[in-house]
């Protein structure tokens, strides 16, 4: 388990190192932030899959020698609660997690879209309560804690960049993330870095739409 | 195409399912050994129960419905909030009590979510009772491994046999 984590971290560091080499030789560099992931749970309140969830996902985007290719490095933090589902024994979960993503991005020549793919690792924890209904003797409520979850996988996406001005770029993105969970017991409602994963256990898959704002710094 | 579909279906059926157990308030099967027309049970109550209606339902017309092979059978809930449940049986000419002890087990099972089971108590005391004889069989409420898709049944759970 430790070896696997180490291997992934070393690969990311290596990739990051290579990315930095590219930066030295080429331009530009963009800093970005996700605009939608953190807001949706507040805007739609209980109608959305997650509630009161803070998701911070910043990006650094480097151009490579080839002007059609980019590297995108990002990290993220998510902390929140899943939607209440009264049909379940465990009606809601609290989750917290940190994740790192790297993407290799290519721009299509004929259509104004970018295709990206790359690895993701996520460390997450889940807490909550479960209740067994007791019509005769009263309900039984217990606590659960599943703090050490580790998952690794890959994310692929299609993005459309809308250029606002010389410095700012608004990006619309459609993505799918797949990941394998190496540790943990509870079936997660939302796995930080992966997305909505209700009723999934070892193999996690989640699609999503988002918007990001990029600022040219170099 | 049909053959492939049939093969997949039969593979799924042969592979079986996971048993999650009742995932609700557990019940015991209680059998009172008696001859027909000799068991003059008026009512069953349980101290600590917030709703006695399930006991009223069990005792209503019990003699015509639940007599099987020399005993009257009842399905009674046990408390998930304590490691014992007490029942009071009021007969025409006597009253008996039965306290059943067990140990509760709540855990997460893959493919099921949270499940509940009740097992033999850690202490040696299984029951306290005014009945002449009491025999308890503790079986898990959740079957291990894969179980057949058709005719699926949860584990037997706790069964109690008493004689007056």
């Amino acid at each position: 388990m430790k070896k696997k984590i180490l291997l992934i971290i070393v690969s990311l560091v290596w990739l990051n190192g290579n990315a930095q080499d590219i930066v030295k030789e080429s331009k530009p560099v963009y800093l970005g932030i996700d605009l939608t992931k953190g807001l949706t749970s507040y805007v739609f309140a209980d109608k959305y899959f997650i509630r009161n969830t803070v998701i911070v996902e910043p990006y650094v985007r480097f151009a490579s020698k080839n002007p059609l290719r980019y590297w995108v490095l990002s990290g993220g933090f998510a902390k929140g609660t899943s939607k209440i589902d009264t049909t379940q024994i465990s009606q809601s979960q609290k989750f917290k997690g940190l994740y790192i993503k790297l993407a290799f991005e290519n721009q299509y020549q004929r259509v104004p879209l970018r295709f990206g793919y790359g690895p993701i690792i996520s460390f997450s924890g889940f807490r909550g309560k479960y209740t067994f209904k007791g019509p005769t003797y009263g309900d039984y409520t217990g606590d659960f804690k599943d703090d050490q979850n580790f998952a690794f996988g890959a994310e692929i996406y299609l993005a459309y960049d809308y250029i606002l001005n010389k410095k700012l770029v608004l990006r619309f993105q459609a993505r799918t993330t797949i990941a394998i969970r190496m540790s943990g017991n509870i079936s997660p409602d939302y796995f930080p870095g992966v997305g909505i994963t209700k009723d999934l256990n070892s193999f996690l898959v989640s699609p999503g739409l988002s918007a990001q704002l990029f600022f040219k710094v170099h | 195409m049909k053959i492939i579909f049939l093969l997949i279906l039969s593979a799924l059926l042969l592979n079986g399912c996971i048993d999650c157990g009742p995932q609700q308030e557990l019940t015991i099967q209680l059998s009172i050994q008696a001859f027909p027309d000799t068991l003059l049970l008026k009512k069953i109550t349980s101290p600590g129960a917030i709703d006695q209606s399930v006991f009223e339902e069990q005792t209503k017309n019990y003699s015509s419905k639940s007599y099987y092979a020399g005993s009257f059978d009842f399905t009674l809930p046990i408390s998930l909030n304590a490691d014992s449940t007490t029942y009071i049986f009021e007969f025409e000419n006597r009253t008996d009590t039965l306290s059943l002890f067990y140990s509760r087990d709540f855990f997460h099972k893959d493919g099921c979510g949270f499940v509940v089971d009740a097992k033999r108590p850690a202490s040696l005391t299984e029951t306290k009772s005014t009945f002449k004889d009491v025999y308890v069989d503790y079986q898990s409420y959740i079957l291990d491994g894969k179980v057949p898709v058709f005719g699926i049944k949860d584990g037997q759970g706790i069964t109690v046999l008493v004689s007056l």
Side-chain angles (χ1 to χ4, degrees):
Chain A
M1 179 67 198
K2 276 183 182 169
K3 273 184 186 172
K4 281 173 190 161
I5 297 172
L6 195 67
L7 185 69
I8 289 161
I9 291 170
V10 167
S11 333
L12 281 176
V13 168
W14 178 82
L15 289 168
N16 192 22
N18 278 7
Q20 280 171 352
D21 286 344
I22 292 156
V23 172
K24 280 173 198 164
E25 298 166 20
S26 61
K27 295 166 186 176
V29 176
Y30 288 89
L31 290 180
I33 186 97
D34 193 280
L35 299 176
T36 50
K37 286 182 184 173
L39 279 178
T40 330
S41 70
Y42 293 100
V43 173
F44 295 107
D46 276 355
K47 285 177 186 152
Y48 194 53
F49 303 100
I50 47 177
R51 300 174 295 140
N52 302 331
T53 301
V54 178
I55 301 175
V56 183
E57 198 174 295
Y59 307 90
V60 185
R61 196 169 80 169
F62 314 96
S64 75
K65 282 178 197 166
N66 183 336
L68 296 176
R69 289 190 181 159
Y70 278 87
W71 300 72
V72 185
L73 179 69
S74 65
F77 170 77
K79 186 185 177 190
T81 315
S82 64
K83 182 184 175 181
I84 294 170
D85 183 350
T86 50
T87 63
Q88 298 287 317
I89 289 168
S90 174
Q91 296 191 352
S92 175
Q93 292 175 0
K94 283 182 179 164
F95 53 82
K96 192 157 74 171
L98 274 173
Y99 51 94
I100 302 168
K101 293 194 278 189
L102 181 73
F104 313 101
E105 196 176 291
N106 290 284
Q107 179 162 12
Y108 287 109
Q109 283 178 307
R110 293 184 185 176
V111 283
L113 290 175
R114 290 164 186 272
F115 171 70
Y117 59 95
I120 173 169
I121 57 170
S122 173
F123 302 90
S124 302
F126 305 91
R127 288 176 187 212
K129 290 182 188 299
Y130 58 88
T131 300
F132 284 96
K133 297 277 182 206
T136 311
Y137 293 99
D139 296 351
Y140 174 85
T141 300
D143 297 320
F144 69 86
K145 191 165 93 172
D146 189 13
D147 270 353
Q148 294 183 335
N149 280 254
F150 167 68
F152 73 92
E155 181 170 282
I156 55 168
Y157 63 82
L158 268 180
Y160 171 74
D161 282 356
Y162 180 74
I163 296 159
L164 296 169
N165 58 39
K166 277 183 186 175
K167 288 273 185 188
L168 287 173
V169 176
L170 185 62
R171 163 171 287 201
F172 300 96
Q173 192 188 66
R175 58 142 190 108
T176 296
T177 311
I178 53 168
I180 293 164
R181 195 155 68 126
M182 303 301 289
S183 59
N185 298 313
I186 308 300
S187 177
D189 288 348
Y190 179 93
F191 204 96
V194 180
I196 314 293
T197 52
K198 197 167 167 64
D199 299 328
L200 301 176
N201 210 345
S202 304
F203 182 72
L204 308 171
V205 57
S206 181
L209 295 170
S210 69
Q212 299 148 9
L213 188 68
F214 281 92
F215 180 73
K216 197 175 180 180
V217 287
H218 184 66
Chain B
M1 189 62 199
K2 263 186 185 174
I3 292 167
I4 294 167
F5 178 72
L6 281 173
L7 278 174
I8 294 169
L9 189 70
S10 41
L12 281 173
L13 294 181
L14 289 173
N15 192 28
C17 293
I18 302 164
D19 182 30
C20 300
Q23 291 186 294
Q24 59 185 19
E25 200 169 59
L26 299 175
T27 56
I28 60 160
Q29 295 301 316
L30 179 112
S31 302
I32 303 177
Q33 281 187 317
F35 292 110
D37 306 321
T38 60
L39 187 76
L40 304 166
L41 181 64
K42 278 162 65 184
K43 66 173 178 178
I44 304 173
T45 53
S46 178
I50 53 173
D51 183 0
Q52 300 281 352
S53 59
V54 66
F55 302 108
E56 287 159 19
E57 259 173 49
Q58 287 285 307
T59 46
K60 200 191 292 173
N61 303 323
Y62 71 91
S63 56
S64 59
K65 286 193 293 191
S66 58
Y67 188 76
Y68 178 74
S71 61
F72 289 91
D73 296 333
F74 302 92
T75 302
L76 304 176
I78 58 169
S79 174
L80 298 182
N81 287 301
D83 286 327
S84 69
T85 300
T86 300
Y87 309 99
I88 300 167
F89 300 83
E90 287 183 37
F91 298 98
E92 194 92 308
N93 49 6
R94 60 187 280 180
T95 300
D96 282 295
T97 60
L98 168 70
S99 291
L100 174 72
F101 294 84
Y102 45 87
S103 82
R104 297 160 294 152
D105 193 9
F106 301 93
F107 59 99
H108 188 273
K109 186 174 179 182
D110 278 356
C112 295
F114 287 96
V115 294
V116 56
D117 202 0
K119 294 173 178 170
R120 189 179 297 277
S123 68
L124 287 173
T125 313
E126 292 180 352
T127 58
K128 282 182 182 170
S129 174
T130 58
F131 283 114
K132 188 177 148 200
D133 273 323
V134 182
Y135 170 76
V136 191
D137 182 24
Y138 292 92
Q139 299 281 338
S140 175
Y141 284 83
I142 304 163
L143 297 173
D144 279 337
K146 294 282 176 78
V147 291
V149 174
F150 292 113
I152 187 171
K153 275 184 179 176
D154 293 329
Q156 189 187 321
I158 299 172
T159 49
V160 182
L161 183 65
V162 301
S163 43
L164 296 167

